[in-house]
Amino acid sequence: MIDLRKLAEAGSIEETLLERIDLARLPRHIAVIMDGNGRWAKSRNLPRVEGHRSGIASVREIVETSARLELGVITLYAFSVENWKRPRYEVATLMMLLKEYLRKELATLMSNNIRFVPIGRIDGLDPSVQRELRYAEAETSKNTGLLFQIALNYGGRAEIIDTVNRIMQLLREKEMGDAVIDEDFFSNHLYTASVEDPDLLIRTSGELRVSNFLLWQIAYAEIHVTKTLWPDFRKRHLFEAIIDFQSRDRRFGGVDESDKEMFVENQA
Ligand code: FPP
């Protein structure tokens, strides 16, 4: 049962927004491109890494709110395969913040029954980061609530290539070189195997790009772009994104029920 009192204070903007949400039609999986940390810092004459540091508070609030809304999955894009091109100090700070986050937040993840899973080329991260990730993953593995996926050293194209190679290896081992694979089989060998595709993709800071994020999985996701920069993104912005999502007409390539009836009537 969703506890509304834990989601919004009486009389707050959040409560007004929450009242507009149909709790029976929540997205099951929300994916987020957390963008704008650098601009947030620049506008305050701060070093870029301060934007990342402030972004952690947004991560904390959005993950906790997603658990309270009883969503199935939240996937956050924290570090892409392209992000290695950033200055060494920025990369090192991001990794340090990640380790700090995991150490500090593990207790909260546990108390909120959240299962934590990193996705991406995890083997390419520093061994100290891998250790923290594996520890948090193992500790939370029996939790049954929200699945919190964090994309690290992640690229959508890299994931597709890794999946192709994994499937080829599998088929070689089983001596099934002439097997024909289908979409379900392919999906079940992605990093996100067995996780439902995102219904809603949120991008902060106003850019209209998907930036190599979950390229296969977002095929039918609704996209919500907000100008809000990630360090300013709070519960109320998540509620606005969900309201926007619920206003969309999702047809998955088909037609509306009402249009179907019209077609039958026209045929008759
Ligand atoms: C994009 O902003 C953001 C990132 C590359 C990193 C996101 C990381 C965090 C929010 C903190 C670490 C996460 C966890 C879970 C501990 P940008 O730097 O590209 O911003 P800009 O486009 O304004 O320069």
Side-chain angles (χ1 to χ4, degrees), residues 34-39 48 52 56 78 83 86 101 150 230:
M34 308 183 286
D35 195 16
N37 294 353
R39 275 161 285 170
R48 291 178 53 80
H52 300 317
I56 304 271
N83 285 152
R86 295 188 174 212
Y101 168 85
I150 188 156
W230 178 252

Side-chain angles (χ1 to χ4, degrees), residues 34-40 48 51-53 55-56 59 76-80 83 86 90 94 97-99 101 148 150 205 207 229-230:
M34 308 183 286
D35 195 16
N37 294 353
R39 275 161 285 170
W40 184 93
R48 291 178 53 80
H52 300 317
R53 201 183 300 280
I56 304 271
V59 169
L76 302 183
Y77 200 7
F79 193 84
S80 74
N83 285 152
R86 295 188 174 212
E90 184 173 339
L94 272 168
L97 287 171
L98 174 67
K99 287 194 277 184
Y101 168 85
F148 168 22
I150 188 156
S205 93
E207 312 284 354
L229 305 176
W230 178 252

Side-chain angles (χ1 to χ4, degrees), residues 1 38 42 45 93 98 122 137 157 174 243 246 254 261:
M1 253 308 257
K42 200 171 171 198
N45 278 323
T93 306
L98 174 67
I122 304 304
E137 183 174 12
R157 288 183 175 180
K174 298 201 165 165
I243 291 167
Q246 292 188 336
E261 280 161 25

Side-chain angles (χ1 to χ4, degrees), residues 31-92:
V32 188
I33 301 175
M34 308 183 286
D35 195 16
N37 294 353
R39 275 161 285 170
W40 184 93
K42 200 171 171 198
S43 69
R44 287 163 175 77
N45 278 323
L46 294 169
R48 291 178 53 80
V49 291
E50 289 309 313
H52 300 317
R53 201 183 300 280
S54 292
I56 304 271
S58 311
V59 169
R60 201 175 288 130
E61 180 159 325
I62 295 316
V63 170
E64 194 163 297
T65 305
S66 301
R68 290 188 172 160
L69 277 170
E70 298 183 358
L71 302 185
V73 191
I74 181 117
T75 305
L76 302 183
Y77 200 7
F79 193 84
S80 74
V81 286
E82 290 84 16
N83 285 152
W84 296 107
K85 291 184 221 148
R86 295 188 174 212
R88 198 204 285 248
Y89 173 68
E90 184 173 339
V91 173

Side-chain angles (χ1 to χ4, degrees), residues 37 76 106 118-119 138 161 183 232 266:
N37 294 353
L76 302 183
L106 188 55
I119 57 167
I161 290 296
E183 288 188 13
D232 292 325
N266 289 346

